[in-house]
Amino acid sequence: MSSSIVKYASKDTTTTTTSSSNGHEDHGNERIDLLHGSADLGASPSLSLPAETFLQAAISLKDEVVRVTWREKCSNYGGTDPFLFTGLLGTAFTCFRAFEATGNIHDLRLCTEIVDACASLASSSTRHMTFLCGRGGVYALGAVAANYCRDQQRRDFYLDSFLEVARDRDLPIGPEDGGFGMSYDLLYGRAGFLWAALFINKHLGAETVPNDLLMPVVAAVLAGGRAGSSVNTACPLMYRWHGTRYWGAAHGLAGILHVLLHFPTLSRDDIEDVKGTLRYMMSNRFPHSGNYPVSEGNPRCNLVQWSHGATGIGITLCKASEMLPNDREFRDAAIEAGEVVWKSGLVKKVGLADGVAGNTYAFLSLYRLTGESIYLDRAKAFASCLYHNQRNALNLSPSIGADSTYSLFQGLAGVACLWFDLLAPEKSKFPGYEI
């Protein structure tokens, strides 16, 4: 198979550093000491940028990401991370998002070129099958980009490669409590595989990855969550990642539930368990801040981001409100999560996983859900802050290594995607999270 792939082929910032589940340091809610709080953003018209400025900034930053991660390494990319979260595939995805926003065919062709390199690098990796951190993302993006290029041969090759992954015998096996066998989380587990399939089906058509391959995996995810909830009957679904019951989007409940909400064929009992789990999370918010715990029983309340906290959970609540419009509680909770992000989401980091770019998508999700302009104004305010302070913010983030500075989820590529999304906010989607 590998031979075929080759052919296609601030100042005054108080730092409290702890270890996060993603293996990098978190700095909690260290803020960019620019406006002395998010609430001042709306009072600064000079920071509200026009669409043309965002467009030019996005194109320029995308070109820089390509130059640093691809042009300067394309002759020697041995050992390069080929996946999307912090690796080279994130550059390909950024080019794809640029194509979606501008229609520039050069970006699409560049995307396919980079995917081919990633496929070659990933051919020896069999551990993970997810969109963000595994071969599933390489094959899914490769198939979709090739389809837009009208390259049927390349499309079929990547789709066949993905379907081969989808037939892995471990995917539909359960239940486990998340601590044994294949995990369930979005980054490395079954939910991440399902998201990759949903991405393909959105762009190539329903049943491109057939339901008879996907629904047994969905059933395994639900069974695993029920097994994991045996220690806490108040929460219908619960999962462990490396022994910890996380709540966030990356490794926990928010990410898994978000994926499950994309399957309208769930039974009534399945939907009730998803709803019950969301209600359990909502009822256990921190009363003084409205934020959500990092993990079950964890008293830490200062992380407001996609990986852990109100941003990732709020976006999932927006999806729940979309899919369950008669349950007003989810809409209300999503709005309340957005208020938490507005008050505390102007953090030091810039990326999608733990930074301002990711937090901005909470407002874009609320804008699409409610149609209320206040959320678009808030998104533009955060994005404008990034525009004025992207370099300074990176300099204040010593935990971001050189290899991650231009990555999709920890660096500047995610900022470029956000700026592209502001050109058509009604169509915006958090990369690798919203379909």
Side-chain angles (χ1 to χ4, degrees), residues 86-143:
T86 56
L88 186 58
L89 192 67
T91 300
F93 187 93
T94 304
C95 293
F96 181 72
R97 182 57 54 90
F99 164 72
E100 289 184 304
T102 68
N104 188 335
I105 194 66
H106 171 75
D107 288 324
L108 181 62
R109 290 170 179 162
L110 184 57
C111 171
T112 61
E113 182 182 351
I114 298 172
V115 170
D116 287 347
C118 292
S120 178
L121 290 165
S123 60
S124 61
S125 173
T126 59
R127 183 179 178 189
H128 301 304
M129 299 177 283
T130 65
F131 190 82
L132 295 180
C133 296
R135 291 176 295 138
V138 177
Y139 301 150
L141 183 58

Side-chain angles (χ1 to χ4, degrees), residues 32 34-35 41 346 380-390:
I32 301 171
L34 166 71
L35 301 168
L41 283 166
L346 197 63
K380 289 180 177 178
F382 269 36
S384 298
C385 185
L386 278 171
Y387 176 83
H388 290 290
N389 291 273
Q390 54 178 301

Side-chain angles (χ1 to χ4, degrees), residues 248-426:
H251 295 302
L253 287 171
I256 297 167
L257 296 177
H258 192 264
V259 170
L260 290 176
L261 285 163
H262 286 80
F263 289 91
T265 58
L266 294 182
S267 71
R268 178 175 297 182
D269 287 344
D270 295 339
I271 288 293
E272 288 303 316
D273 281 351
V274 169
K275 290 163 64 173
T277 303
L278 288 170
R279 288 173 179 142
Y280 173 81
M281 297 171 73
M282 291 154 52
S283 67
N284 283 276
R285 287 171 286 183
F286 293 110
H288 58 286
S289 68
N291 197 22
Y292 290 80
V294 171
S295 58
E296 184 75 4
N298 192 325
R300 188 181 185 189
C301 66
N302 65 327
L303 295 185
V304 178
Q305 54 200 54
W306 175 81
S307 294
H308 310 289
T311 294
I313 295 172
I315 293 172
T316 293
L317 288 166
C318 284
K319 183 63 181 179
S321 181
E322 174 193 340
M323 300 303 295
L324 306 165
N326 294 329
D327 294 281
R328 179 78 186 196
E329 62 194 303
F330 300 128
R331 179 187 176 98
D332 293 342
I335 290 171
E336 291 168 11
E339 293 303 310
V340 175
V341 179
W342 178 243
K343 292 174 183 176
S344 302
L346 197 63
V347 296
K348 180 197 292 189
K349 294 182 182 180
V350 303
L352 295 174
D354 305 315
V356 179
N359 292 350
T360 305
Y361 276 97
F363 306 132
L364 291 174
S365 296
L366 283 167
Y367 174 66
R368 296 196 318 273
L369 176 67
T370 68
E372 295 180 9
S373 61
I374 184 175
Y375 299 116
L376 180 56
D377 292 341
R378 290 180 173 185
K380 289 180 177 178
F382 269 36
S384 298
C385 185
L386 278 171
Y387 176 83
H388 290 290
N389 291 273
Q390 54 178 301
R391 303 298 175 185
N392 186 45
L394 277 175
N395 291 336
L396 288 173
S397 299
S399 64
I400 297 181
D403 290 341
S404 296
T405 300
Y406 291 89
S407 71
L408 183 60
F409 267 73
Q410 290 186 356
L412 292 171
V415 177
C417 287
L418 170 65
W419 289 341
F420 278 124
D421 268 336
L422 284 173
L423 303 178
E426 69 282 356

Side-chain angles (χ1 to χ4, degrees), residues 49-228:
L49 301 173
E52 182 63 25
T53 300
F54 284 127
L55 172 60
Q56 294 306 318
I59 292 172
S60 177
L61 188 52
K62 178 264 299 177
D63 288 344
E64 184 175 357
V65 168
V66 170
R67 177 183 63 81
V68 172
T69 64
W70 175 243
R71 301 294 186 202
E72 295 181 358
K73 293 184 177 182
C74 62
S75 61
N76 181 22
Y77 49 78
T80 299
D81 176 358
F83 302 126
L84 188 137
F85 195 79
T86 56
L88 186 58
L89 192 67
T91 300
F93 187 93
T94 304
C95 293
F96 181 72
R97 182 57 54 90
F99 164 72
E100 289 184 304
T102 68
N104 188 335
I105 194 66
H106 171 75
D107 288 324
L108 181 62
R109 290 170 179 162
L110 184 57
C111 171
T112 61
E113 182 182 351
I114 298 172
V115 170
D116 287 347
C118 292
S120 178
L121 290 165
S123 60
S124 61
S125 173
T126 59
R127 183 179 178 189
H128 301 304
M129 299 177 283
T130 65
F131 190 82
L132 295 180
C133 296
R135 291 176 295 138
V138 177
Y139 301 150
L141 183 58
V144 169
N147 188 65
Y148 281 106
C149 282
R150 299 182 181 179
D151 186 335
Q152 186 72 27
Q153 186 177 5
R154 183 184 266 110
R155 171 196 177 277
D156 290 347
F157 169 76
Y158 280 118
L159 183 56
D160 288 345
S161 298
F162 185 87
L163 291 173
E164 181 180 340
V165 167
R167 295 186 181 97
D168 188 288
R169 62 186 180 184
D170 289 332
L171 279 167
I173 295 176
E176 308 107 16
D177 184 14
F180 305 96
M182 185 181 295
S183 67
Y184 296 96
D185 65 310
L186 188 70
L187 256 63
Y188 299 118
R190 291 178 173 94
F193 160 77
L194 289 171
W195 199 95
L198 290 167
F199 179 78
I200 290 175
N201 285 350
K202 174 193 174 180
H203 289 279
L204 302 188
E207 290 280 326
T208 301
V209 183
N211 275 339
D212 62 1
L213 287 177
L214 299 183
M215 294 313 296
V217 184
V218 172
V221 172
L222 289 160
R226 288 166 182 143

